[in-house]
Amino acid sequence: MWRSLRFASTLGLCASAFGQSSTVDSYISTESPIAKAGVLANIGSSGVESSGAYPGVVIASPSTTDPDYLYTWVRDSSLVFKMLIDQYTSGQDTTLRGHINDFIAAEANIQQVPNPSGTISTGGLGEPKFNINETAFTGAWGRPQRDGPALRSTAMITYATWLIANKNETYVTDSLWPIIKLDLDYIMNNWNETTFDLWEEVDSSSFFTSAVQHRALRQGSALATAIGQSSVVNGYNTQANNILCFLQSFWNPSPGFMTANTGGGRSGRDANTVLTSIHVFDVEAGCDGVTFQPCSDVALSNLKVYVDSFREIYGINAGIRADQAVATGRYPEDVYQGGNPWYLASFAVAEQLYDALIVWSNEGLLTVTDVSFPFFQQFDASIKPGTYSSLTPTYSTLTTAIKNFADGFIATAAKYTPSGGGLAEQYTRSDGTPTSAFDLTWSYASALTAFNARAGKTSASWGAAGLSVSPACSTSKASTVPVIFNVNATTVVGQNIYLTGSVGALTDWSTTNAILMSSADYPTWSTAVTLPANTQIQYKYIIVNNGDITWESDPNNEFTTSMSGITTLNDVWR
């Protein structure tokens, strides 16, 4: 009987996954041309929604009230044009060259505009936003934001590299290099200064900013070498090495995530880090953790911690199992415009997973480490650390489940996309109604890059393969071990089991942020958590039902974590 039930359950899951895949296929087919048109509509001067914008200027959104986004941000513009440049240079859309040339001219002009952050030689390149007629925005704002020069130079270097390969080096040397060099020199000289993060709220050091600065200097060094500008190479490489060392310090080993910012007073769980992974993706770098590649153990661990932080804070996520996709936002403490899910956050999670699947397929294997174990354990409760060839059933089980998981995030965005296909900035946490700025250019661009990743398309390599941290860099990390918590608990509809305990990775006894456990093997509820090694831990399970909390009876459960290996705890609710 058990075997029959298990087989029936498996068939049900397969049917569900097939239905979801068909839904996602249909959504991508419909939404792709809408998203592409949405991007082009927001680019001056010919875009139908960008009236008043100069040629090549990207408006963030046509929205002028609550919020007013009729400005151009260097970050948003550069991310959008990196996507368009990738489409052009790969042959996906060969009609974009005029737009690209307009973008280059617009950004060259914007670089020269004196603004509240300074002039071109006194810090002005860190100014985040401008009026759409290429004049300075002089109102109060979070400035400087130092990711803009990195993202802009990365987009232009990608185009320059393609031009060189197509026998147009003269234009690169005479026209593009002077623009690119200004940004690279700014990064080289200012990367270790504080910056407002990409959400324009926290003034500290930002993981996203540092990571894209590192990439820009690596690409800039390679371009300089290719066009005979060798005098700058040593300086770019030296500071790139320093940034790469600094990036390692953002890792929080227990429970295993990248802290988004060094300041801000928040938990550090933030879409900043997922966006980092997809924007430093280099298909030739494999699953390298030093550069935070999408399939690296640190990036996968981080993804799980980030996604799980949203499972219980949005009404639209209610009733969704702990191993299924949910709506995600910028960070769980967010209150801007109501603190809602963002379309680009949902697409970013999917894109990281699709990128990981591309690499595993290319390499014909995947590796589960102690760090990534909690991520993989969501999809196979019996998984053990090790390397699994594509010829093994385990590889097939995991990659199929992860593909379905990724599709779930696209399906979530699809569910809350209105019938006309327009993508706002956010959708409400209570019922998924689109809200905040409408027709957000970044939302459209993020949809297109996620769709490309699902189709197996990748961008040109930027040189991440084979990089290592200098021996002089201190990157020592506290030792951690994975622990599986299983508890046999009978519940009724509407009840869920959570885990909390005495250390940060177990939420320091918080009931608000307690860890939702999976009911996939009901009545056994399970979760895997990375904990400090050789540490005494106390913990308890709680039942949550519509906000009402029931604690397990005393005393606290207690154990000491091992020095290495996986520990499995099998408990019974009391």
Side-chain angles (χ1 to χ4, degrees):
M1 174 64 73
W2 179 88
R3 289 172 62 88
S4 299
L5 289 173
R6 181 68 178 267
F7 181 66
S9 175
T10 301
L11 286 178
L13 289 172
C14 290
S16 175
F18 178 78
Q20 176 179 264
S21 181
S22 298
T23 298
V24 171
D25 289 342
S26 177
Y27 176 68
I28 290 175
S29 176
T30 302
E31 186 64 25
S32 291
I34 294 171
K36 184 65 169 293
V39 167
L40 297 178
N42 287 351
I43 300 175
S45 60
S46 58
V48 296
E49 298 289 349
S50 58
S51 177
Y54 278 21
V57 169
V58 180
I59 66 169
S61 160
S63 175
T64 56
T65 57
D66 194 29
D68 182 1
Y69 279 9
L70 194 59
Y71 296 94
T72 185
W73 273 261
V74 177
R75 170 180 47 257
D76 298 39
S77 302
S78 301
L79 289 170
V80 166
F81 264 95
K82 174 60 167 59
M83 180 272 294
L84 294 176
I85 288 168
D86 283 341
Q87 288 198 359
Y88 177 75
T89 56
S90 68
Q92 187 175 352
D93 186 346
T94 59
T95 70
L96 295 169
R97 190 157 187 167
H99 284 296
I100 295 169
N101 290 336
D102 286 345
F103 164 72
I104 291 167
E107 293 301 318
N109 291 337
I110 285 172
Q111 280 184 329
Q112 303 292 331
V113 175
N115 57 68
S117 293
T119 66
I120 194 168
S121 60
T122 61
L125 293 176
E127 183 69 7
K129 90 180 200 183
F130 293 81
N131 296 316
I132 61 175
N133 63 356
E134 298 177 6
T135 60
F137 169 76
T138 57
W141 209 251
R143 51 172 67 94
Q145 295 176 31
R146 304 187 197 276
D147 57 349
L151 296 167
R152 179 167 56 198
S153 59
T154 291
M156 292 191 187
I157 292 168
T158 301
Y159 185 47
T161 303
W162 180 86
L163 289 170
I164 292 171
N166 287 272
K167 314 303 182 185
N168 203 346
E169 183 175 329
T170 299
Y171 173 73
V172 172
T173 302
D174 294 347
S175 300
L176 282 182
W177 177 248
I179 304 167
I180 294 168
K181 185 176 185 295
L182 286 172
D183 282 341
L184 295 176
D185 288 352
Y186 176 86
I187 298 166
M188 180 178 66
N189 294 320
N190 295 280
W191 73 265
N192 57 350
E193 300 291 335
T194 60
T195 176
F196 276 85
D197 67 340
L198 77 169
W199 309 131
E200 308 185 300
E201 296 170 341
V202 177
D203 185 13
S204 64
S205 292
S206 162
F207 182 65
F208 176 85
T209 299
S210 295
V212 297
Q213 288 173 329
H214 170 255
R215 172 178 177 167
L217 288 179
R218 296 290 184 192
Q219 282 189 274
S221 174
L223 177 62
T225 299
I227 61 175
Q229 302 292 322
S230 58
S231 63
V232 300
V233 170
N234 183 64
Y236 293 168
N237 286 341
T238 296
Q239 296 311 318
N241 289 335
N242 289 338
I243 299 174
L244 188 60
C245 172
F246 178 59
L247 283 168
Q248 312 311 307
S249 69
F250 286 85
W251 178 245
N252 184 333
S254 178
F257 68 95
M258 284 293 181
T259 303
N261 303 299
T262 58
R266 302 196 296 249
S267 67
R269 298 161 171 85
D270 195 309
N272 163 325
T273 57
V274 181
L275 290 164
T276 298
S277 186
I278 64 175
H279 290 299
V280 299
F281 177 43
D282 185 336
V283 69
E284 295 183 8
C287 297
D288 175 54
V290 171
T291 56
F292 205 59
Q293 293 302 305
C295 61
S296 64
D297 57 357
V298 287
L300 293 174
S301 176
N302 176 80
L303 186 74
K304 182 183 188 300
V305 173
Y306 162 76
V307 169
D308 286 352
S309 71
F310 293 95
R311 291 194 177 277
E312 292 302 304
I313 66 173
Y314 297 153
I316 58 175
N317 289 341
I320 298 176
R321 281 192 354 218
D323 57 347
Q324 294 179 327
V326 290
T328 61
R330 300 192 300 174
Y331 50 88
E333 302 90 346
D334 195 7
V335 296
Y336 174 65
Q337 296 286 329
N340 299 300
W342 284 45
Y343 290 98
L344 68 87
S346 296
F347 289 130
V349 174
E351 184 171 345
Q352 181 185 332
L353 294 168
Y354 294 139
D355 287 344
L357 288 162
I358 290 169
V359 174
W360 292 328
S361 177
N362 288 350
E363 297 190 344
L365 55 84
L366 63 77
T367 298
V368 180
T369 71
D370 285 354
V371 172
S372 60
F373 174 80
F375 170 82
F376 287 106
Q377 198 259 353
Q378 299 175 102
F379 311 110
D380 184 347
S382 64
I383 193 68
K384 302 295 182 185
T387 296
Y388 298 92
S389 160
S390 59
L391 301 178
T392 63
T394 300
Y395 176 95
S396 179
T397 297
L398 289 173
T399 54
T400 299
I402 292 167
K403 168 65 159 48
N404 294 336
F405 190 52
D407 279 354
F409 291 93
I410 301 291
T412 299
K415 180 178 181 179
Y416 301 114
T417 298
S419 58
L423 294 178
E425 181 180 65
Q426 307 172 35
Y427 48 104
T428 59
R429 63 196 295 157
S430 58
D431 63 10
T433 302
T435 191
S436 190
F438 61 90
D439 288 329
L440 191 79
T441 318
W442 193 358
S443 292
Y444 288 128
S446 66
L448 292 170
T449 58
F451 299 164
N452 265 357
R454 187 174 188 265
K457 296 182 173 69
T458 60
S459 303
S461 171
W462 59 268
L467 294 177
S468 60
V469 177
S470 166
C473 171
S474 175
T475 60
S476 59
K477 299 175 182 176
S479 177
T480 59
V481 291
V483 178
I484 300 172
F485 292 84
N486 296 320
V487 60
N488 187 295
T490 302
T491 56
V492 299
V493 175
Q495 293 182 334
N496 285 299
I497 303 292
Y498 291 76
L499 170 68
T500 187
S502 60
V503 293
L506 295 179
T507 74
D508 288 322
W509 296 115
S510 169
T511 56
T512 304
N513 300 313
I515 299 167
L516 175 64
M517 303 184 73
S518 172
S519 60
D521 293 320
Y522 182 84
T524 298
W525 297 71
S526 300
T527 191
V529 184
T530 303
L531 296 176
N534 195 32
T535 301
Q536 188 177 40
I537 305 289
Q538 293 187 346
Y539 66 97
K540 271 189 174 181
Y541 304 103
I542 58 176
I543 293 177
V544 179
N545 185 11
N546 295 323
D548 295 330
I549 297 169
T550 302
W551 285 84
E552 235 189 333
S553 60
D554 288 333
N556 295 336
N557 301 302
E558 188 170 343
F559 76 109
T560 298
T561 54
S562 62
M563 291 295 294
S564 62
I566 301 170
T567 298
T568 300
L569 303 173
N570 295 305
D571 298 315
V572 177
W573 173 271
R574 48 182 169 75

